[in-house]
Amino acid sequence: MVHWIFALITLIAVSIATIVQDIRRAIFAFWVAGLAVGAIYLSLGAEFLAIFQWLTSTLVTTSLLFFAVLFGENGKLPKEKFQYSIARRSSYSKLLVGFAIILGISFASLVWLGVSGLSLPVSLPAGENDLVGLGKKLSGDHFISLQVLTLTLFLVLIGAGIIARPEKRHQGDEI
Amino acid sequence: MIMGLAGIVGGMGLICIISRRTLLGIMIGIQLLFLGASIMFVAGGIISGAVIEGHLFGLFIAIGGIAQLGGGLALAVRLFYLKNTIQVDQLQSLKQ
């Protein structure tokens, strides 16, 4: 039952992330969607994936927000709208902080009351939990996949560094 | 039904990719697409009985999403350095 609530939250957040024009609100909506998907994973018995999903969606949101601020995605506001915008942002911020506190307390309460009550009966191999099964599969059957993935991440890291490097300007070039 | 949710999330990501005009917006769409694919693998693993494999491929897709984010942000930095904007409409080439 509880994963349907999180599925509804996911749908609403994904719709907001797709429709809303302001990129920062879209990023926040994407973050809520990621957290809700992590909660769905938790209710489906995938504890490790749930924690990984929460961490990655927070990481992705942080970096996207950082770059949105860096690139000035909101643009410049007209002077007459500036004061009004500051007031609106303040009320939005209070709402956002209140929502985050309620969400955090709810999650903490759920975990404190017992996460096992949330989980569906999923049949894992006898004597194994999610993490043990994943570790055995990763180091056994899917070891080549893991190697290919780590190589891909390494190449992406080098490629991103090369793409984003500053261009050296020669003397006489137009700036 | 969880498969349906995954399809909707992926479809919304596709709409986001098509409708947005900035690189960051397109990256949000791609992340949503990855999210939908990950949900689909986890749900498919539970339905088919291969639970651990579903979790494993969901994990692989999530890591692939991080790799995409790294490449996409590097492209955005490059584009902003060259054109002073991240609007993809103005993207004709990455040469100076």
Side-chain angles (χ1 to χ4, degrees):
Chain A
M1 176 61 192
V2 75
H3 65 280
W4 294 121
I5 298 169
F6 290 121
L8 187 65
I9 294 172
T10 307
L11 276 182
I12 293 168
V14 165
S15 306
I16 292 172
T18 306
I19 292 166
V20 76
Q21 286 297 315
D22 186 355
I23 199 79
R24 294 185 201 184
R25 281 175 202 159
I27 292 168
F28 272 118
F30 169 73
W31 183 47
V32 173
L35 294 183
V37 168
I40 292 174
Y41 289 157
L42 191 67
S43 67
L44 290 176
E47 291 92 357
F48 178 70
L49 202 54
I51 293 167
F52 191 79
Q53 179 63 46
W54 287 333
L55 288 176
T56 48
S57 49
T58 306
L59 169 81
V60 167
T61 304
T62 313
S63 41
L64 283 176
L65 268 180
F66 173 75
F67 279 95
V69 173
L70 189 72
F71 297 144
E73 273 286 279
N74 269 3
K76 289 179 181 173
L77 289 167
K79 280 184 180 175
E80 63 270 17
K81 288 187 177 177
F82 187 70
Q83 293 296 331
Y84 176 61
S85 166
I86 289 289
R88 278 182 63 194
R89 278 184 196 171
S90 175
S91 58
Y92 276 131
S93 303
K94 282 174 188 168
L95 269 177
L96 198 67
V97 169
F99 178 69
I101 290 171
I102 291 170
L103 199 68
I105 291 173
S106 310
F107 264 115
S109 310
L110 282 176
V111 172
W112 185 60
L113 287 173
V115 178
S116 59
L118 297 175
S119 301
L120 293 179
V122 177
S123 59
L124 289 171
E128 288 187 356
N129 59 28
D130 175 45
L131 194 56
V132 172
L134 271 178
K136 282 183 180 173
K137 287 283 180 186
L138 267 179
S139 58
D141 298 344
H142 300 283
F143 191 65
I144 297 293
S145 313
L146 184 68
Q147 295 293 320
V148 170
L149 198 63
T150 50
L151 189 65
T152 307
L153 279 175
F154 180 61
L155 290 178
V156 165
L157 191 69
I158 294 173
I162 291 172
I163 290 170
R165 76 190 187 283
E167 193 80 19
K168 285 182 182 172
R169 294 185 190 278
H170 300 288
Q171 281 186 343
D173 285 354
E174 289 182 6
I175 298 172
Chain B
M1 289 295 278
I2 290 283
M3 286 290 208
L5 172 75
I8 292 170
V9 171
M12 286 295 209
L14 210 56
I15 292 170
C16 194
I17 292 170
I18 294 168
S19 62
R20 297 248 179 222
R21 284 286 170 270
T22 62
L23 265 178
L24 288 184
I26 291 171
M27 268 188 279
I28 292 174
I30 296 172
Q31 288 292 325
L32 288 177
L33 210 55
F34 274 109
L35 205 61
S38 180
I39 299 170
M40 194 165 282
F41 269 95
V42 174
I46 291 171
I47 291 168
S48 66
V51 180
I52 297 293
E53 274 81 2
H55 296 183
L56 205 58
F57 281 96
L59 186 70
F60 284 164
I61 290 169
I63 296 173
I66 296 173
Q68 174 272 328
L69 184 80
L73 287 178
L75 273 177
V77 168
R78 184 73 177 166
L79 185 62
F80 191 74
Y81 178 73
L82 293 178
K83 312 273 185 188
N84 211 21
T85 179
I86 53 167
Q87 297 282 330
V88 285
D89 291 340
Q90 298 182 15
L91 184 61
Q92 302 294 328
S93 71
L94 282 178
K95 287 176 74 176
Q96 210 163 11

